[in-house]
């Protein structure tokens, strides 16, 4: 039994052909072939006002996790900019979330789509400085983007591209942490008194967006809003990338990256596995109960069916709960990982997350001391009490676990993990057939076999970094 | 309306703010401030004192965004 929860970047990434951004994967690594399909952004110079209007019309939301409207960010940067306060553009491909691989996929298959979006915006804003932030623990991303930038320079593009490595770590890709890293300081979150678009790198208006967001902006500039809206739902034009893990037939540690138009049925994306519980939005995300997504469509709109259940796509990560694994144990493993990833700067996060993780672990292990009230109290103590959203995201995950898997949580509080118990029963059944070989070892001889079985799931999920 | 905001990385949980302004600031189990709501006018002076008293300059009084 292996878990989908890992503290490390995916061991393998499978990238599917998609309808737009991933339409030409494999063919357009090189700039020359890319240009045969997608025109140079220098040629389609879009006025800033028009770009804001277009981005607002098609509703491009940030793909880094927060889903902030790109048009609003761009408008703020334009307003804050001045003759001697030229804006700075940052392409954030730092992707610190272990279950996410979409930025990795973009960098390795269609790097110029990402860079085109940033370049087009730079031309539009008349700024020259573009930073590309890449993760240290996924070296192929930096390699691919550096090679792509070199090609563009050779082709005569006169933008100042600068690639900076950041991380490793879950919070290294957080906007303020990225700006700190670019400023030459340790890449850790700081308090944002003003939005980055108003005052970011060296106090300049900084348009910091996720790599996929830039690729979407690139597509919008090249296609125009009408053609861009040719894919997706009426209320929500365009496509989104998804990083899927735990799919049947996918080896553990493998992430499948797909591009789907908004409005695609989840049952189409996940197949029969849609009946399983799914962690939507990654480790800072929300659990969807088994089968809940079956009638839903892929969407970021807060008013939609997903939004009504509190399911936000975030960075587009979906982790399926493997068959026979306890959701409480999986949540405990993720919480422990997130606690270990606290940057350690803010007191409530540094102190609160480890305690919260220990409490959720106690619950997963069916400990006598596990306390629901204590977990609820701790959630209140960490939420909105940090420079970045790490404590909030962690609290969101735990909160959704206690809501969605209420029955499981209650069973654990009563000292029983029903899933581990079923598994034990199944294993004993197997053991009967095969002469009981090994059953004693797996179940843990003696007291509390159920707790042991659940603890075992936790141990196997590879909590923390070595 | 004014609100108090904590600069979390700067805050080291010294607890001076809670001494000066217990009406609005409590301390959590680790000694970090829990700020309760916007600052009413009659507590404004004390809030300014609390901000000034913080040994790490980790507390700020902001004009609440509408």
């Amino acid at each position: 039994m292996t878990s989908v929860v890992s503290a490390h970047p995916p061991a393998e990434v499978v990238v599917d052909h998609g309808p737009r951004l991933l339409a030409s994967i494999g063919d357009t690594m090189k700039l020359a072939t890319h240009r045969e399909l997608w025109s140079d952004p220098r040629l389609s110079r879009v006025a800033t006002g028009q770009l804001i209007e277009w981005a607002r019309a098609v509703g491009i939301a940030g793909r880094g996790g927060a889903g902030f409207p790109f048009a609003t960010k761009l408008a703020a940067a334009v307003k804050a900019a001045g003759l001697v306060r030229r804006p700075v553009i940052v392409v954030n491909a730092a992707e610190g979330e272990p279950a996410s691989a979409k930025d990795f996929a973009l960098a390795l298959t269609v790097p110029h789509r990402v860079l085109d979006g940033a370049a087009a915006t730079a031309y539009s804003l008349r700024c020259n400085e573009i930073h590309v932030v890449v993760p240290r623990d996924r070296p192929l991303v930096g390699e691919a983007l550096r090679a792509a930038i070199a090609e563009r320079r050779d082709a005569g593009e006169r933008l100042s591209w600068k690639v900076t490595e950041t991380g490793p770590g879950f919070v290294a890709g957080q906007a303020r942490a990225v700006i700190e890293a670019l400023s030459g300081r340790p890449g850790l979150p700081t308090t944002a008194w003003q939005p980055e678009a108003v005052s970011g790198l060296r106090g300049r208006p900084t348009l910091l967006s996720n790599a996929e967001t830039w690729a979407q902006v690139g597509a919008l500039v090249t296609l125009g809003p009408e053609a861009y809206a040719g894919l997706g739902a009426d209320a929500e034009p365009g496509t989104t990338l998804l990083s899927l893990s735990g799919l049947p037939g996918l080896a553990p540690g493998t992430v499948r990256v797909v591009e789907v138009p908004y409005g695609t049925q989840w049952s189409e994306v996940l197949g029969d596995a849609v009946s399983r519980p799914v962690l939507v939005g990654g480790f800072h995300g929300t659990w969807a109960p088994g089968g809940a997504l079956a009638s839903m469509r892929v969407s970021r709109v807060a008013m939609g069916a997903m939004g009504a259940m509190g399911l936000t796509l975030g960075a587009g990560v979906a982790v399926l709960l493997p068959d026979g694994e306890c959701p409480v144990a999986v949540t405990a493993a993720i919480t422990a990982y997130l606690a270990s990833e606290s940057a350690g700067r803010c007191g409530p996060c540094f102190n609160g997350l480890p305690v919260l993780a220990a409490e959720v672990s106690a619950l997963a292990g069916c400990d006598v001391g596990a306390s629901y009230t204590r977990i609820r109290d701790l959630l209140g103590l960490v939420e909105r009490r940090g420079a970045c959203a790490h404590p909030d995201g962690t609290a969101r995950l735990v909160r959704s676990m206690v809501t969605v898997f209420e029955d499981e949580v209650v069973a654990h509080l009563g000292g029983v993990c029903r899933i581990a118990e079923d598994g034990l029963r199944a294993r004993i059944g197997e053991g009967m057939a095969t002469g009981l070989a090994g059953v004693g070892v797996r179940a843990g001889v003696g007291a509390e076999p159920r707790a042991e079985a659940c603890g075992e799931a936790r141990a196997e999920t590879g909590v923390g970094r070595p | 309306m004014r609100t108090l905001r904590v600069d979390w990385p700067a805050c080291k949980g010294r607890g001076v703010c809670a001494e000066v302004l217990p009406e609005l600031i409590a301390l959590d189990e680790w000694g970090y401030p829990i700020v309760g709501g916007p600052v009413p006018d009659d507590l404004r002076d004390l809030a300014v004192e609390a901000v000034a008293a913080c040994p790490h300059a980790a507390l700020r009084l902001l004009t609440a965004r509408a």
Side-chain angles (χ1 to χ4, degrees):
Chain A
M1 189 166 68
T2 27
S3 172
V4 288
V5 182
S6 161
H8 304 287
E12 198 186 354
V13 178
V14 180
V15 186
D16 285 2
H17 272 270
R20 178 171 288 158
L21 298 186
L22 300 179
S24 50
I25 53 171
D27 306 329
T28 51
M29 257 311 275
K30 293 276 167 247
L31 184 60
T33 39
H34 173 79
R35 282 282 169 263
E36 284 169 19
L37 289 170
W38 300 93
S39 62
D40 194 322
R42 267 180 294 187
L43 303 175
S44 53
R45 192 173 280 210
V46 184
T48 315
Q50 188 168 41
L51 185 54
I52 295 172
E53 221 169 90
W54 284 5
R56 191 166 287 145
V58 300
I60 291 184
R63 306 298 164 89
F68 193 79
F70 179 79
T72 309
K73 210 184 255 188
L74 181 58
V78 169
K79 196 167 164 232
L83 198 60
V84 291
R85 273 190 94 221
R86 297 279 194 94
V88 177
I89 287 178
V90 182
V91 178
N92 190 359
E95 206 166 41
E97 160 107 36
S100 178
K102 71 186 176 66
D103 300 334
F104 176 92
L106 287 172
L108 266 76
T109 59
V110 287
H112 290 290
R113 310 229 52 172
V114 176
L115 302 178
D116 270 0
T121 310
Y123 291 130
S124 174
L125 283 172
R126 295 179 186 288
C127 70
N128 193 50
E129 185 181 343
I130 309 182
H131 293 267
V132 180
V133 181
V134 296
R136 191 170 302 145
D137 55 356
R138 303 187 193 199
L140 294 177
V141 174
E143 230 169 79
L145 290 171
R146 277 195 187 95
I149 289 167
E151 276 190 297
R152 299 173 82 99
R153 277 202 192 109
D154 290 345
E157 190 173 75
R158 288 163 66 190
L159 292 165
S160 159
W161 297 96
K162 197 175 168 241
V163 180
T164 306
E165 271 188 356
T166 187
F170 192 86
V171 298
Q174 192 264 341
R176 281 284 153 178
V178 163
I179 286 176
E180 287 294 293
L182 291 177
S183 310
R185 294 185 288 271
L188 299 170
T190 58
T191 303
W193 299 104
Q194 280 180 308
E196 290 79 43
V198 175
S199 175
L201 187 57
R202 303 193 309 280
R204 283 169 189 261
T206 303
L207 259 179
L208 185 150
S209 287
N210 171 262
E212 185 197 346
T213 314
W214 287 117
Q216 295 288 356
V217 170
L220 174 64
V221 171
T222 327
L223 296 167
E226 288 82 22
Y228 183 93
L231 285 173
D234 286 346
E236 205 176 1
T239 65
T240 186
L241 297 188
L242 299 173
S243 305
L244 311 171
S245 38
L247 281 173
L250 216 57
T254 304
V255 171
R256 173 167 235 121
V257 177
V258 299
E259 182 191 19
V260 296
Y262 284 121
T264 305
Q265 293 278 4
W266 274 105
S267 51
E268 232 173 278
V269 179
L270 300 177
D272 292 342
V274 78
S275 61
R276 292 212 232 128
V278 183
L279 180 56
V280 179
F283 290 179
H284 276 174
T286 315
W287 283 104
L293 292 177
S295 58
M296 292 187 196
R297 293 165 182 279
V298 175
S299 163
R300 269 174 213 281
V301 184
M303 287 85 79
M306 284 181 66
M309 277 195 83
L311 298 169
T312 45
L313 219 41
V317 173
V319 180
L320 279 93
L321 182 72
D323 267 336
E325 281 210 35
C326 166
V328 183
V330 170
T331 306
I334 301 174
T335 311
Y337 162 73
L338 292 173
S340 74
E341 288 296 303
S342 167
R345 303 200 88 195
C346 307
C349 179
F350 175 69
N351 290 287
L353 293 197
V355 184
L356 177 64
E359 285 293 328
V360 179
S361 281
L363 181 68
C366 305
D367 282 7
V368 179
S371 162
Y372 180 70
T373 324
R374 176 73 173 138
I375 291 176
R376 296 304 294 240
D377 287 351
L378 284 167
L379 292 176
L381 280 183
V382 299
E383 273 170 327
R384 288 184 303 281
R385 296 182 75 216
C388 75
H390 189 59
D392 307 64
T394 309
R396 186 183 309 127
L397 169 78
V398 176
R399 215 177 265 286
S400 92
M401 184 264 292
V402 298
T403 316
V404 170
F405 302 111
E406 198 182 3
D407 293 351
E408 298 305 327
V409 170
V410 170
H412 277 80
L413 287 168
V416 181
C417 173
R418 296 184 305 186
I419 289 161
E421 195 179 50
D422 287 350
L424 185 67
R425 223 174 265 138
R427 283 201 293 274
I428 290 173
E430 277 167 33
M432 294 287 193
T434 58
L436 277 171
V439 169
V441 180
R442 279 204 68 92
V445 187
E448 291 194 316
R450 294 171 294 231
E452 167 70 21
C454 210
E456 170 193 277
R458 193 167 67 241
E460 281 178 10
T461 50
V463 180
R465 285 169 179 273
Chain B
M1 190 60 92
R2 302 276 175 124
T3 52
L4 284 165
R5 200 172 149 195
V6 181
D7 183 350
W8 288 109
C11 176
K12 297 287 172 265
R14 295 282 286 270
V16 180
C17 56
E19 294 289 337
V20 178
L21 189 59
E23 293 89 343
L24 276 183
I25 299 174
L27 297 181
D28 67 15
E29 55 195 86
W30 310 290
Y32 294 90
I34 300 170
V35 182
V39 182
D41 285 342
D42 58 325
L43 289 177
R44 182 119 150 232
D45 291 350
L46 272 179
V48 171
E49 296 266 8
V51 167
C54 176
H56 289 277
L59 192 64
R60 292 200 196 179
L61 190 58
L62 302 177
T63 307
R65 278 170 288 181

